[in-house]
Amino acid sequence: MNNKICDMLGIEFPLVAFSHCRDVVAAVSRAGGMGVFGGVNCSPEMLEEELSWIDAHVDGKPYGLDIIVPNKVEGKGEQLDPEAVLASIPDEHKQFTNDILQRHGVDTGRIAGDIEAVRREQVAFTDNLRGGTAEAILEVAFRHPIGLIANALGIPPQVMLDMGKKHDVPVAALIGTRDHAMSQVAAGVDIIIAVGGEAGGHTGDISTMVLIPEVCNALAQIGDDTPVLAAGGIATGAQMAAAMAMGASGAWCGSVWLTTVEAETNPVVKEKMLAATSRDTVRARSRTGKPSRQLRSPWTDAWQAEGAPSPLPMPLQSLVAEPPLRVLDKLSQGDNQGARDLSTYWVGQGVGLMNEQMTAGQVVQGFKEDFLTAYERLAANLGE
Amino acid sequence: MNNKICDMLGIEFPLVAFSHCRDVVAAVSRAGGMGVFGGVNCSPEMLEEELSWIDAHVDGKPYGLDIIVPNKVEGKGEQLDPEAVLASIPDEHKQFTNDILQRHGVDTGRIAGDIEAVRREQVAFTDNLRGGTAEAILEVAFRHPIGLIANALGIPPQVMLDMGKKHDVPVAALIGTRDHAMSQVAAGVDIIIAVGGEAGGHTGDISTMVLIPEVCNALAQIGDDTPVLAAGGIATGAQMAAAMAMGASGAWCGSVWLTTVEAETNPVVKEKMLAATSRDTVRARSRTGKPSRQLRSPWTDAWQAEGAPSPLPMPLQSLVAEPPLRVLDKLSQGDNQGARDLSTYWVGQGVGLMNEQMTAGQVVQGFKEDFLTAYERLAANLGE
């Protein structure tokens, strides 16, 4: 395809695949799109290992990296006291999660230690990020032949923009409103990823259908030609064509890869996703403290019910919700029915369009065909 | 344009305009789209007058009618006791609205009588609908040369479907989920209006970008060729092209007409809408008891605030909210700043794309041009 994003990224089809699974990343890049590895939860050592694997499996095709580097790190370099953080989680919240598990027949006594261990790992990781790991991660990243670096939260710090420029790697940023897009462009970002409220994970509440033209119009008005990738609810080539008809230069998709053969998604959750309609997601603050869209399950329902505790601010709510959910993921792969019922993961409303397990390469191929069908449909309407 | 909806409705451009303003309806039909008059709040006599006016101003072009005819009317024929209904509104809710008004400097003592008068009118109207007015409305409707009849809530009653068939008038129904679309098609509806959560007024929470392909795929799977009109957030021709790339046969728009020259929208609200971005709406139960999307104002904020009373079920919440809002509308057109601040109306997120006052005819023309631009943009991406 012939457009700004394809030129900038050196790819043939402007479909960008965000995934925490390196197999998906490599497969999408090999198929003509661009895989972007979600490295948010990686230490520098883990990232080095993952990117090396991708280098060896991507057949020289371009791939990207998505991380979170806070623009301002409060108290950077200072050490947090992990014990103090752990102690600041209210008992009410821990008790509430235990109650949910027990109501679903999960023996919380047996897994209390596992949950606590995950929680301690998480605190240590949060502490690392504050302690300067961000720079170490950037150094690892730019030692590899990445073709895109995206910052998932807020305006990228100057060091990231500078390193991108130095290595000729476009820097992308995720936004959910017109005004945030304008701030990102003013800061010097090369690609805007406009995320509609139907997206999985952290998301605002402006829909993709409105956000894309609103952002594109605003950029056009100031004569700025920063390309826009459309995200949020997109799981088919027809939707990608729709977004590009409205001015986007391509699509950024996350959810659609979760049900692929390559994805490391919990198989129980994968099955739920394949069966789900678009109604089976919920946007709630209960997983991280900020609104994020997830697959509905009795777990999310419990947090939405009257009388549930108010979600804590970031990062405390993650320290409440993530450890039991990770342990449930493991339990659900045995025969623990309660764990299977409760299990959930982030996913967008596009889950209603994900009805068949395919390889990542087949998904890319499906997008290409569906894109053409959509274009021809439009042409037929015009009698062309 | 060459498609199913154009053939079925006898129009040239598949843009359908829902409006409570007869001038907008006639102007859109004259410009090649189809105006659909929102007659929900009309008595049979009012509807007769409005449709006669449209007949005289539409130059013989097709137009439609949107009404609400409940599928089952509980206690149909029985008379409600208006005094009993009025007495069932909790004082807490009336006091809460009074408090909002007073906090904004509105002299509630002076307008208490006006508010009560509007409330009594509303109760009488609700009573009428139960008492058999629905049939009288259908009789008026089919005496006029309407080219479409839409039922805004639920599956149309058999009498509406039968009258549509008898008079060769397509019957349309609004839906917000795939399953509702399937039920409507099974009931024999001729056109599905798929309304995304970004729409103004009553709306679900599945986005247009997801709902359109999900509904179109589901229809295709059962070999059904009922055409789908896309609604929700659509205020430009590029979005209409996007929806049609995904399989819709046209667009159903409501919000975009509210800021036209012809619209009878409160001028204060019209100005607010022209200045608003997509962030300035809220989907809340506080206006009617069911979730509806409205322009944000201190009025909607007050109802969203902690400690606000829970919205009552339909139709009671409308009897709480509508009377003061109608009186505020009048006050705001004088120099009452509090009333100006509080004033609001239903509108979708597409309000962020409505930045300039135009005539309804200019809006249609703009849609046509923007549609072509979008198509050419897609063609250029494909190197065509």
Side-chain angles (χ1 to χ4, degrees):
Chain A
M1 210 174 275
N2 184 14
N3 80 12
K4 225 182 297 181
I5 279 285
C6 289
D7 292 349
M8 197 180 258
L9 302 183
I11 58 178
E12 133 203 342
F13 187 63
L15 173 59
V16 183
F18 168 82
S19 176
H20 291 293
C21 169
R22 61 193 188 184
D23 298 81
V24 170
V25 171
V28 172
S29 287
R30 286 198 310 268
M34 179 183 251
V36 172
F37 182 70
V40 168
N41 295 316
C42 288
S43 65
E45 298 71 30
M46 284 160 66
L47 187 65
E48 174 60 40
E49 187 185 324
E50 299 283 352
L51 297 188
S52 299
W53 187 94
I54 294 171
D55 291 340
H57 291 82
V58 79
D59 292 356
K61 299 291 176 101
Y63 70 92
L65 175 66
D66 177 275
I67 49 178
I68 292 183
V69 184
N71 192 270
K72 287 178 195 160
V73 182
E74 302 284 345
K76 188 172 137 177
E78 290 169 29
Q79 293 297 305
L80 274 177
D81 178 1
E83 295 306 323
V85 174
L86 289 170
S88 70
I89 302 173
D91 284 340
E92 182 198 0
H93 289 72
K94 290 200 260 189
Q95 189 54 49
F96 184 76
T97 63
N98 264 348
D99 289 348
I100 300 175
L101 268 53
Q102 282 166 9
R103 273 205 308 279
H104 287 267
V106 177
D107 181 350
T108 49
R110 264 186 63 190
I111 58 172
D114 298 341
I115 291 177
E116 206 45 38
V118 177
R119 192 169 281 140
R120 283 179 177 276
E121 255 175 54
Q122 268 189 280
V123 173
F125 181 75
T126 309
D127 189 31
N128 275 344
L129 203 61
R130 290 166 48 103
T133 314
E135 276 88 343
I137 291 222
L138 285 174
E139 277 164 31
V140 170
F142 284 101
R143 276 206 302 271
H144 291 266
I146 56 171
L148 168 78
I149 189 161
N151 195 36
L153 203 69
I155 292 178
Q158 195 57 45
V159 56
M160 186 164 165
L161 291 164
D162 290 345
M163 288 178 89
K165 192 160 275 177
K166 186 175 154 202
H167 293 85
D168 203 20
V169 173
V171 179
L174 281 78
I175 59 92
T177 70
R178 183 195 71 177
D179 291 349
H180 289 164
M182 301 311 271
S183 308
Q184 293 280 6
V185 163
V189 155
D190 303 299
I191 297 171
I192 291 292
I193 304 163
V195 187
E198 53 267 69
H202 287 122
T203 179
D205 67 356
I206 313 301
S207 80
T208 303
M209 186 60 119
V210 171
L211 183 65
I212 302 306
E214 199 177 21
V215 167
C216 291
N217 290 353
L219 291 174
Q221 261 168 29
I222 60 164
D224 186 289
D225 66 350
T226 305
V228 173
L229 287 174
I234 302 178
T236 67
Q239 294 170 293
M240 180 178 169
M244 290 174 70
M246 297 190 291
S249 297
W252 168 281
C253 304
S255 299
V256 74
W257 316 106
L258 293 172
T259 51
T260 57
V261 174
E262 292 91 338
E264 286 153 9
T265 314
N266 172 355
V268 174
V269 172
K270 213 185 251 191
E271 262 178 59
K272 286 187 186 184
M273 287 180 177
L274 289 170
T277 76
S278 60
R279 300 183 78 172
D280 300 317
T281 74
V282 61
R283 179 174 172 269
R285 289 173 53 226
S286 52
R287 184 134 184 181
T288 70
K290 293 206 174 189
S292 72
R293 190 175 294 282
Q294 308 143 63
L295 190 68
R296 249 190 89 181
S297 85
W299 169 276
T300 63
D301 287 350
W303 280 96
Q304 297 288 98
E306 212 160 320
S310 294
L312 303 167
M314 271 185 159
L316 292 183
Q317 186 65 23
S318 291
L319 293 173
V320 169
E322 212 55 29
L325 284 171
R326 295 224 191 134
V327 174
L328 283 177
D329 264 342
K330 282 194 193 127
L331 281 183
S332 70
Q333 295 177 50
D335 57 358
N336 192 313
Q337 190 56 43
R340 297 171 80 92
D341 293 344
L342 290 166
S343 64
T344 173
Y345 192 67
W346 288 286
V347 76
Q349 290 186 342
V351 73
L353 301 163
M354 294 151 48
N355 305 317
E356 204 183 331
Q357 177 161 280
M358 290 186 271
T359 66
Q362 284 169 334
V363 171
V364 177
Q365 186 56 31
F367 261 76
K368 291 181 183 173
E369 288 164 14
D370 201 36
F371 189 106
L372 275 180
T373 304
Y375 172 73
E376 283 158 10
R377 199 182 277 138
L378 216 45
N381 273 294
L382 288 165
E384 297 197 5
Chain B
M1 208 174 276
N2 184 12
N3 81 13
K4 225 182 299 181
I5 279 285
C6 290
D7 291 349
M8 198 182 257
L9 303 182
I11 58 178
E12 134 203 342
F13 187 63
L15 173 59
V16 183
F18 169 81
S19 176
H20 291 294
C21 170
R22 61 192 187 184
D23 298 81
V24 169
V25 172
V28 172
S29 287
R30 286 198 309 268
M34 179 184 251
V36 172
F37 181 70
V40 169
N41 295 317
C42 289
S43 65
E45 299 71 31
M46 284 160 67
L47 187 65
E48 174 61 42
E49 188 186 323
E50 299 283 352
L51 297 189
S52 298
W53 187 95
I54 294 171
D55 290 340
H57 291 83
V58 80
D59 293 356
K61 298 289 176 103
Y63 70 91
L65 174 66
D66 177 275
I67 50 179
I68 292 185
V69 183
N71 192 269
K72 284 179 196 160
V73 182
E74 301 284 343
K76 187 173 136 177
E78 288 170 30
Q79 293 298 306
L80 275 176
D81 177 1
E83 294 306 322
V85 174
L86 289 170
S88 70
I89 303 172
D91 283 340
E92 182 198 0
H93 289 72
K94 290 201 259 189
Q95 189 55 49
F96 184 75
T97 64
N98 263 349
D99 289 349
I100 301 174
L101 269 54
Q102 282 165 10
R103 274 205 308 279
H104 288 267
V106 176
D107 181 350
T108 50
R110 261 185 65 190
I111 58 171
D114 297 342
I115 291 178
E116 206 45 37
V118 176
R119 192 168 280 142
R120 282 178 178 275
E121 255 173 53
Q122 268 189 282
V123 174
F125 181 77
T126 308
D127 189 32
N128 275 342
L129 203 62
R130 289 166 49 101
T133 315
E135 277 87 344
I137 290 214
L138 285 174
E139 277 164 30
V140 170
F142 284 102
R143 276 206 302 270
H144 291 265
I146 55 171
L148 169 77
I149 189 160
N151 196 36
L153 202 70
I155 292 179
Q158 194 57 44
V159 57
M160 189 165 162
L161 291 164
D162 290 345
M163 287 178 90
K165 192 159 275 178
K166 186 176 153 198
H167 292 87
D168 202 20
V169 174
V171 179
L174 280 77
I175 60 91
T177 70
R178 182 195 72 176
D179 292 349
H180 289 164
M182 301 310 271
S183 308
Q184 293 281 6
V185 163
V189 155
D190 303 299
I191 297 170
I192 291 292
I193 305 163
V195 188
E198 53 267 70
H202 288 121
T203 181
D205 67 356
I206 312 301
S207 81
T208 303
M209 186 62 120
V210 172
L211 183 65
I212 303 305
E214 200 178 20
V215 167
C216 290
N217 290 354
L219 291 175
Q221 261 167 29
I222 59 163
D224 186 290
D225 65 350
T226 305
V228 173
L229 288 173
I234 302 179
T236 68
Q239 294 171 293
M240 180 177 166
M244 290 174 69
M246 295 190 291
S249 298
W252 168 281
C253 304
S255 299
V256 73
W257 317 106
L258 293 172
T259 51
T260 57
V261 175
E262 292 93 336
E264 285 153 9
T265 314
N266 172 357
V268 174
V269 172
K270 214 186 249 191
E271 263 177 59
K272 287 187 186 184
M273 287 181 177
L274 289 170
T277 76
S278 60
R279 298 183 80 172
D280 300 317
T281 74
V282 61
R283 179 173 171 270
R285 289 174 51 227
S286 52
R287 184 132 184 183
T288 70
K290 291 206 174 190
S292 72
R293 190 175 293 284
Q294 309 143 61
L295 191 68
R296 248 191 88 181
S297 85
W299 170 275
T300 62
D301 286 350
W303 279 96
Q304 297 288 98
E306 213 162 317
S310 293
L312 303 167
M314 273 185 159
L316 291 182
Q317 186 64 24
S318 290
L319 293 172
V320 169
E322 213 56 29
L325 285 170
R326 296 227 189 130
V327 173
L328 283 177
D329 264 342
K330 283 196 190 125
L331 282 182
S332 71
Q333 296 178 51
D335 57 359
N336 191 313
Q337 190 56 42
R340 299 171 80 91
D341 292 344
L342 290 166
S343 64
T344 172
Y345 193 66
W346 288 287
V347 77
Q349 291 186 341
V351 72
L353 301 164
M354 295 150 48
N355 305 317
E356 203 184 331
Q357 177 161 279
M358 292 186 272
T359 66
Q362 284 169 335
V363 171
V364 177
Q365 186 56 31
F367 262 76
K368 290 180 184 173
E369 289 163 15
D370 200 37
F371 189 106
L372 275 180
T373 304
Y375 172 72
E376 284 158 9
R377 197 182 278 136
L378 215 46
N381 272 295
L382 289 165
E384 298 200 3

